[in-house]
Amino acid sequence: MALLWRSERDPARPARGPRQGLTVDRIVRTAITVADSEGLAALSMRKVAEPLGVTAMSLYTYVPGRAELVNCMLDEVLGEAPSLEGADGWRQALEHYARGRMDIARRHPWVPPLASSRMLMGPHETALWDGVLGALSEVGLPEREMLAVVHLLNGYVRGAAQQSADAEHDARRSGLSYDEWYEQTGPLLEKTISADRFPALTGVWRSGVFEEPGEGLGPDRGFEFGLQRVLDGIEQRIEGHRAG
């Protein structure tokens, strides 16, 4: 916690050990660059030390280990989220919150899996929670449901972000865009899938929505469609509490 919050008892520059012009902030930013380009699985103290021109062992005078470093990395990128101040009501605030977290996940694909980990809360994540709970504080929901709303929204964003990351991974691995893949596989599927056996799927297929996904389908449009439906449900719950 002292490292995450950069407390006076554990400053960014160590009180003892080699002084190579490093700081915790510089180490964390370098680690983020490594994870962005190579993935979190490839992150090691050695990989972080190399671009800094130091040995891996020297990093331990600043950061206790890889787990603590990852925790600091997560909180650092969460600081990229937009402020919710000035939002016009709770719904717009939650839209900004969800889109901000989705943008972070797109820039840093290693972030979504960490949402299920027991990571300590740093100052940026704490500010995020305070902001989104503040936006919900006047809508009339009990505190337990306010937390449930934020968890629901986080879960939706995480799932959408993972789908987007999977699509990008498939495109890189195959060397084919979605349109290129569809052009190759579509005719084969049309010959295989029969209308008498799969009538509902065939009907949707023949409507052409797979060829031009439009609203509700695709990594980006799907996210916005789903976000609005999640918010519709939250709004209905809020209105129910107000009516009660």
Side-chain angles (χ1 to χ4, degrees):
M1 289 297 287
L3 185 67
L4 271 172
W5 290 80
R6 309 292 199 274
S7 71
E8 293 181 2
R9 293 182 60 186
D10 191 359
R13 185 185 293 275
R16 57 190 178 84
R19 293 181 176 270
Q20 294 128 333
L22 293 181
T23 63
V24 171
D25 290 340
R26 188 179 171 199
I27 293 169
V28 170
R29 286 193 296 269
T30 302
I32 290 170
T33 300
V34 172
D36 287 348
S37 62
E38 301 185 40
L40 195 62
L43 182 74
S44 66
M45 300 301 270
R46 181 183 61 80
K47 284 280 185 70
V48 177
E50 286 177 354
L52 291 170
V54 299
T55 65
M57 289 303 297
S58 66
L59 298 184
Y60 289 100
T61 62
Y62 296 82
V63 181
R66 184 183 183 280
E68 292 82 1
L69 177 58
V70 171
N71 209 148
C72 289
M73 291 163 57
L74 175 63
D75 193 68
E76 181 70 19
V77 298
L78 290 179
E80 299 172 9
S83 171
L84 304 185
E85 293 183 8
D88 184 16
W90 70 267
R91 182 159 181 147
Q92 189 179 85
L94 264 61
E95 285 180 349
H96 291 343
Y97 173 82
R99 290 174 185 147
R101 296 205 69 141
M102 187 65 174
D103 288 343
I104 290 171
R106 289 187 178 122
R107 289 192 296 272
H108 312 287
W110 48 271
V111 168
L114 295 177
S116 62
S117 304
R118 294 185 178 183
M119 309 292 282
L120 293 174
M121 290 178 67
H124 291 132
E125 184 174 9
T126 302
L128 268 179
W129 273 91
D130 187 69
V132 71
L133 288 173
L136 289 168
S137 61
E138 303 298 328
V139 301
L141 292 177
E143 287 78 2
R144 185 178 297 276
E145 291 198 16
M146 288 167 57
L147 284 176
V149 164
V150 180
H151 281 298
L152 170 64
L153 209 53
N154 286 344
Y156 172 70
V157 172
R158 182 189 176 209
Q162 192 61 57
Q163 284 184 321
S164 180
D166 289 345
E168 291 183 11
H169 173 74
D170 290 343
R172 288 195 304 270
R173 183 182 61 180
S174 65
L176 298 173
S177 67
Y178 175 82
D179 290 340
E180 292 169 334
W181 175 85
Y182 181 83
E183 288 177 2
Q184 293 185 17
T185 60
L188 299 175
L189 291 172
E190 287 179 355
K191 293 178 180 179
T192 304
I193 298 175
S194 60
D196 57 339
R197 186 177 179 186
F198 307 105
L201 176 60
T202 305
V204 173
W205 181 285
R206 290 176 177 173
S207 73
V209 296
F210 287 100
E211 297 178 24
E212 297 182 5
E215 182 182 10
L217 294 176
D220 296 323
R221 295 186 182 96
F223 172 74
E224 284 297 327
F225 178 84
L227 175 60
Q228 295 307 318
R229 303 296 76 76
V230 170
L231 294 175
D232 287 346
I234 295 170
E235 185 168 8
Q236 185 176 15
R237 184 68 175 177
I238 291 172
E239 290 175 354
H241 271 282
R242 287 174 175 170

